[in-house]
Amino acid sequence: MPQEQYTHRSTMQTSEGPQVYKVGIYGWRKRCLYFFVLLLMILILVNLAMTIWILKVMNFTIDGMGNLRITEKGLKLEGDSEFLKPLYAKEIRSRPGNPLYFQSARNVTVNILNDKTKVLTRLVTGPQAVEAHSQKFEVKTLSGKLLFSADDNEVVVGAERLRVLGAEGTVFPKSIETPHVRADPFKELRLESPTRALVMEAPKGIEINAEAGSLKATCRTELRLESKDGEITLNSAKIKLPNLPQGSSSSAGSRQKIYELCVCPNGRLFLSQAGTSSTCQINTSVCL
């Protein structure tokens, strides 16, 4: 009986044929999968090409990016550079032989801070003015000689010569102390006080010298030359006092052109026609 059943089953399998089961993706699913794989490869190639293009345009190298180079001494920038936020650096300098430019649409501010981030010195260059905020401001030569210094107490000019080129000159609201005041060659020197008095004082002497021109002193009320311990000397080939008053009475003729210079007790000068003796006592009415 078992042998007959085995024979019957073998006969049935042989007559019907073997059954094959297919494993995989077929049809539209297979086509979609190939399409997505092809699209992914295209995106990878495009991404790789864009990366290479960006590296080429931005000039990425082992030493840096674009105009920025990384050296042993620090960062090196070639060409114009723009900083949108504050820049902190220990030293900023240009290449040897080239100038260094700082350019801004508004102003350029340089601050010096202490350990507590408090501003000690500030330099502001703006469209209207250049401002320096510090306890003391100094200008020196390459050799270290002081040219200009300013602080709360005084302003010092250390140059050998101070030249004022303005057409209106220099205005000093208060006193000025200097050993020498002179004009440029072939230029006139004018000391003027429009609304107040002009006073010149010196412990040892005052020398007014005009080697190639004339000397003129003008005032509205009175001109006083005073020497407390010494004398006042007028040394010239000609000394003219054209506007001195003249005495009314004289013993000489009316056509006489020789005069005597007289001095009143109050210091006033006047002319009196000369005679055989002094005629100043006759014309003392001028002193009144």
Side-chain angles (χ1 to χ4, degrees), residues 4 25 34 45 49-50 61 86 97 104 114 122 135 141 150 152 158 164 171 190-192 197 211 227 254-255 262 281:
E4 293 177 358
I25 302 175
Y34 288 162
L45 294 176
M50 292 293 293
T61 60
S104 175
N114 59 4
R122 175 179 297 173
Q135 295 181 355
T141 61
D152 294 338
V164 181
V171 179
R190 178 178 297 179
L191 302 178
E192 182 180 359
E211 296 181 355
S227 178
S254 60
R255 295 183 179 180
C262 303
Q281 300 294 333

Side-chain angles (χ1 to χ4, degrees), residues 36-195:
F36 284 121
V37 172
L38 180 62
L39 180 61
L40 181 61
M41 293 180 62
I42 293 174
L43 291 178
I44 293 174
L45 294 176
V46 171
N47 190 10
L48 181 61
M50 292 293 293
T51 303
I52 297 175
W53 180 77
I54 292 175
L55 293 176
K56 184 67 176 177
V57 172
M58 298 300 293
N59 195 11
F60 277 95
T61 60
I62 300 176
D63 298 330
M65 176 189 68
N67 295 329
L68 179 64
R69 294 289 181 267
I70 301 175
T71 61
E72 297 179 355
K73 297 181 180 180
L75 298 179
K76 181 179 179 181
L77 289 173
E78 298 178 355
D80 298 337
S81 302
E82 182 177 356
F83 300 93
L84 302 180
K85 292 184 178 182
L87 173 65
Y88 299 93
K90 181 180 180 181
E91 182 181 356
I92 300 176
R93 63 179 180 178
S94 63
R95 291 183 298 177
N98 293 331
L100 178 64
Y101 294 97
F102 291 95
Q103 184 176 356
S104 175
R106 294 182 178 271
N107 55 27
V108 177
T109 304
V110 179
N111 293 331
I112 306 298
L113 309 178
N114 59 4
D115 298 337
K116 299 180 180 179
T117 66
K118 182 180 179 181
V119 178
L120 299 178
T121 303
R122 175 179 297 173
L123 178 63
V124 180
T125 58
Q128 300 297 330
V130 178
E131 299 180 1
H133 303 268
S134 62
Q135 295 181 355
K136 190 174 184 180
F137 179 76
E138 292 183 351
V139 178
K140 295 183 179 180
T141 61
L142 295 177
S143 60
K145 181 181 178 181
L146 181 64
L147 295 179
F148 181 83
S149 176
D151 55 14
D152 294 338
N153 298 324
E154 62 179 1
V155 176
V156 179
V157 179
E160 296 180 357
R161 179 183 299 179
L162 175 62
R163 299 183 61 187
V164 181
L165 304 179
E168 298 295 332
T170 305
V171 179
F172 298 96
K174 295 184 180 180
S175 62
I176 174 176
E177 181 178 351
T178 178
H180 194 186
V181 178
R182 68 177 180 179
D184 288 338
F186 307 104
K187 301 292 183 179
E188 65 176 9
L189 175 63
R190 178 178 297 179
L191 302 178
E192 182 180 359
S193 179
T195 57

